[in-house]
Amino acid sequence: LLVLDAETGIREQDKNIVSYAIDAGKAIIIVVNKWDTVIKDQNTMHKFKEKVRQEFQFLDYAPIVFVSAKNKERIHTIFSAIDVAYDASQTRVQTSVLNDILMDAQMRNPAPNFNGGRIKNFITRFFTLRDIWKKYKPDIVLAFLGKNNIMAIATSFFLPNKVVVSVRGEPTMEYEGKLMQVIAKFMFNFADGIVLQTERAKDFFGKKVKNKSVILLNPLNPAFLDVKYVGEKRDRIVAVGRIDENKNQEMLIHAFDKIATEYPQVSLSIYGDGCRKDNIAAMIKEKKLEDRIILEGNVTDVAEKIKDARIFTLTSNTEGMPNSLMEAMALGLVVISTDCPCGGPATLIQNGENGILVPVGDAYALADALRQVLADKVFADRIGENAYESSKKFSPEIVNKEWENFLINL
């Protein structure tokens, strides 16, 4: 609870307290005390809220309540605010949902046409970022993805801060086109550190960049820690992710169709949403598998929904370090994935030991892998247990420490 004094208003100390709370990852409720001492009209509370929002622009999500501790007025409003803040702090948003939000934002706010607007936008952004680095004097600027990496390097020239850039997927897709690839390869030479997700991604860069590169995994979502299912697994295959061309759910449906008659007790659940959902639904109907394949949509409790499944599948055409695959392994599921560029699944899976890799787009190979798991319970139990053991290296404590050590030792 951030307690503000209604008489004295917001102090510098209040801002420092907020900073500590945010750094500690705490949910925040703003409590304005001594509200009984303020001379009020019908707009006073609204104006005070506006001032709080203006001073704490990064806390626009925090509930604001007005109380008098001395007179015990409106104290009950704190408790309802606690419920709201707690629920919000415990919410975990799926990657697929975030992808949908970002995709929608991109469609609503497309880059300006090349009529001088794009150049002006670049110049404005360049000097805005450079002014931020000068003002706040960060030790390190850490950038993720595509043009953000290049901009971080460019805006830091001749400034004391170090720059770390991170490529999260296949470099040739993150930097599409020959020109962008040439620019990326050149600019990365000036970065102090480069974080990649797979060894294969290094092949895109020259020797100097390779020597400065480090492979750092993603930390596992805490919702998937210590929730491994113990008991008889259900005859169910699951997939989690945005329904789009890259995730290639069509490959999974083709493969399931090939084994459906052999294993009539097995069902397939696909979690997620996206631009190709209608196409996938039509494909399921065409194959007359509506009673066997279920499009579950987006859910908030993925771990609970899939932890008792027999098999997890990932059929992507490309992946960086797939979080959904890591999460499935942490649940002890048998995982089957395409061996797609830039090698994320192959980094996680030792084929036949803690999962199975199949070629990209090969529904026949995927069907064979599904048969192998469904027909051999001993084999399935072994690789599921190995997947669980392998996932321990994704724990937030281990991965976050690796990031910390890397950044400290730059």
Side-chain angles (χ1 to χ4, degrees), residues 331-346:
L331 296 175
L333 302 186
V334 174
V335 294
I336 303 174
S337 173
T338 49
D339 186 9
C340 55
C342 60

Side-chain angles (χ1 to χ4, degrees), residues 84-149:
V84 172
Y86 178 80
D87 289 344
S89 71
Q90 297 301 303
T91 299
R92 294 293 179 269
V93 183
Q94 288 177 255
T95 303
S96 60
V97 175
L98 290 175
N99 287 340
D100 287 342
I101 293 170
L102 292 172
M103 185 70 72
D104 182 62
Q106 186 178 23
M107 292 177 67
R108 290 172 181 265
N109 302 279
N113 294 325
F114 190 78
N115 57 4
R118 182 174 294 179
I119 294 175
K120 182 179 178 181
N121 183 55
F122 170 83
I123 294 172
T124 301
R125 187 180 177 209
F126 179 93
F127 284 106
T128 299
L129 287 173
R130 194 167 174 85
D131 287 343
I132 291 172
W133 309 157
K134 290 178 179 179
K135 179 179 179 180
Y136 292 100
K137 297 179 175 57
D139 297 306
I140 300 170
V141 172
L142 174 60
F144 291 84
L145 296 172
K147 295 177 182 178
N148 295 332
N149 291 331

Side-chain angles (χ1 to χ4, degrees), residues 25-37:
K26 303 299 183 183
I28 297 174
I29 299 169
I30 300 171
V31 180
V32 182
N33 191 28
K34 299 184 182 178
W35 193 240
D36 58 312
T37 65

Side-chain angles (χ1 to χ4, degrees), residues 266-308:
V266 177
S267 64
L268 168 61
S269 293
I270 299 175
Y271 292 89
D273 206 343
C275 58
R276 291 191 61 79
K277 184 176 181 179
D278 291 343
N279 304 72
I280 295 299
M283 184 178 180
I284 294 169
K285 185 175 182 180
E286 179 185 344
K287 292 183 177 294
K288 296 181 172 56
L289 292 170
E290 299 101 312
D291 60 335
R292 303 282 299 279
I293 302 178
I294 305 152
L295 298 180
E296 304 280 3
N298 289 327
V299 296
T300 56
D301 53 345
V302 176
E304 285 297 317
K305 290 289 193 295
I306 71 171
K307 67 181 182 180
D308 62 350

Side-chain angles (χ1 to χ4, degrees), residues 168-170 197-201 217 314 318-322 325-326 329 337-349 357 394:
R168 313 306 292 171
E170 168 59 38
Q197 298 208 299
T198 70
E199 288 292 334
R200 291 186 198 176
L217 299 177
L314 181 72
T318 66
E319 284 286 350
M321 190 60 63
L325 184 59
M326 295 166 60
M329 295 174 76
S337 173
T338 49
D339 186 9
C340 55
C342 60
T347 300
L348 302 173
I349 295 174
L357 294 170
F394 317 145

Side-chain angles (χ1 to χ4, degrees), residues 4 17 57 62 96 104 179 188 222 228 249 263 329-330 335 355:
L4 304 179
I17 292 171
Q57 293 184 17
S96 60
D104 182 62
L179 178 60
F188 273 41
K228 179 188 175 187
Q249 285 87 1
Y263 298 94
M329 295 174 76
V335 294

Side-chain angles (χ1 to χ4, degrees), residues 41-82:
D41 60 31
Q42 60 182 4
N43 295 318
T44 305
M45 184 178 291
H46 175 71
K47 289 179 180 178
F48 199 99
K49 281 186 176 181
E50 280 191 337
K51 185 174 182 180
V52 171
R53 294 302 187 202
Q54 184 178 1
E55 291 291 330
F56 299 111
Q57 293 184 17
F58 46 89
L59 281 183
D60 57 350
Y61 58 87
I64 303 175
V65 295
F66 296 81
V67 304
S68 170
K70 181 179 179 180
N71 297 333
K72 299 181 181 180
E73 294 177 0
R74 297 173 58 85
I75 299 296
H76 66 280
T77 60
I78 296 177
F79 295 99
S80 57
I82 288 173

